[in-house]
Amino acid sequence: MTVALQVQQLAVSYGDARALSGVTFDVAEGRALAVLGANGAGKSSLAAAIAGVVKPAAGSIRLRGTEIGGSPPHRIARLGVAYVPEGRGIFPNLSVTENLRAMLRYAVPRSERAAAVDRAIALFPLLGERRRQPAGTLSGGEQQMLALARVLAAPPSILIADEMSLGLAPKLVDLVFDSLARAKEEGVTVVLVEQYVKRALEYADDAVVLRQGEVAWSGRASEAHSEALASYLGAKGLESQ
Ligand code: ATP
């Protein structure tokens, strides 16, 4: 199996506070990795470090053999990494169309960008109706459609998705997972940070459980039995699945 993403001994600190230390795992080409853990375990810090939004304090992040740890986000995006941060990462004052253009900026060459924006809008007709509206006036679900549309219109080589289903109604959570499944079918390698442990494990091939910034468990998602994970995730991790 070819390794798409290799994280070794990764550490992230905020001032004196260490959010991640000694984090090591691989993601094979075309597979999906679920990153699980209780609040504050370091999941978002890991996603942000891979995307280049947070600089690692130590360790290495390799994308198909190329070191990307500490590279700026736009350079990492150019290498085919799409990052959907918690909170969706949209620009509230820009219109839906302008958001898509901005999101696709590093993923699609200029000459193909307009076509990609049209493709994104065709995927979710509701976005078409709102194409001139500032994205900040969209509902949470519509904003998430915008993030999904970007991913599906120009499938990245690696998708780093941080809590895409956070705060969404069940129907929209289904839409998120359907879209993630579609991305995977297209061969996208996925790193998925999720609060819905059961769904994340059903979707993913592999899983990593973080606890206080360290890898507490890693293995096949199918072997990550919920009961065993409960001790790592805390009470909240498995509620209302
Ligand atoms: P959650 O599920 O609550 O988002 P998480 O698992 O994603 O949690 P992180 O957000 O990565 O965890 O946080 C890991 C640790 O780093 C926590 O102790 C958090 O308080 C701290 N932290 C995160 N971001 C910052 C920041 N910008 N400045 C200082 N400390 C931070």
Side-chain angles (χ1 to χ4, degrees):
M1 250 182 318
T2 321
V3 174
L5 186 71
Q6 183 178 46
V7 174
Q8 281 182 318
Q9 296 298 324
L10 180 68
V12 167
S13 297
Y14 302 101
D16 291 338
R18 184 64 27 134
L20 290 179
S21 54
V23 171
T24 297
F25 61 86
D26 290 348
V27 190
E29 202 70 66
R31 286 174 79 89
L33 175 83
V35 178
L36 308 172
N39 285 345
K43 307 180 296 296
S44 295
S45 300
L46 174 61
I50 298 169
V53 172
V54 164
K55 282 215 183 309
S60 126
I61 305 171
R62 286 203 186 90
L63 184 66
R64 301 188 182 95
T66 303
E67 180 63 48
I68 56 165
S71 291
H74 68 267
R75 193 165 298 160
I76 294 174
R78 279 223 169 91
L79 294 172
V81 178
Y83 172 48
V84 181
E86 200 176 345
R88 295 162 192 133
I90 62 153
F91 304 101
N93 299 322
L94 299 186
S95 73
V96 165
T97 312
E98 287 163 345
N99 261 277
L100 286 167
R101 226 176 272 140
M103 289 173 179
L104 291 163
R105 180 161 173 207
Y106 299 112
V108 179
R110 186 189 296 264
S111 58
E112 293 162 31
R113 218 167 287 150
V117 169
D118 288 346
R119 250 191 335 267
I121 282 174
L123 285 164
F124 298 102
L126 213 87
L127 293 179
E129 288 167 27
R130 314 232 191 292
R131 60 166 69 203
R132 283 187 195 87
Q133 212 168 298
T137 65
L138 301 178
S139 71
E142 289 163 354
Q143 291 184 16
Q144 200 54 285
M145 276 180 212
L146 189 53
L148 290 169
R150 175 266 166 265
V151 170
L152 296 175
S157 113
I158 299 198
L159 169 64
I160 314 290
D162 191 355
E163 304 267 24
M164 287 192 86
S165 60
L166 193 68
L168 295 184
K171 233 171 139 178
L172 288 166
V173 175
D174 289 345
L175 178 69
V176 167
F177 277 96
D178 288 350
S179 302
L180 289 171
R182 203 157 137 184
K184 198 157 165 280
E185 276 162 23
E186 301 212 20
V188 178
T189 302
V190 180
V191 175
L192 177 71
V193 174
E194 250 307 319
Q195 47 157 353
Y196 288 104
V197 175
K198 197 158 160 271
R199 295 202 70 162
L201 290 175
E202 281 164 10
Y203 167 76
D205 301 295
D206 305 294
V208 163
V209 178
L210 296 179
R211 185 169 49 172
Q212 294 177 355
E214 294 181 14
V215 176
W217 188 92
S218 68
R220 293 281 158 113
S222 58
E223 288 162 17
H225 298 297
S226 311
E227 312 84 62
L229 294 181
S231 60
Y232 295 131
L233 298 173
K236 197 189 161 287
L238 294 171
E239 79 188 12
S240 64
Q241 297 284 317

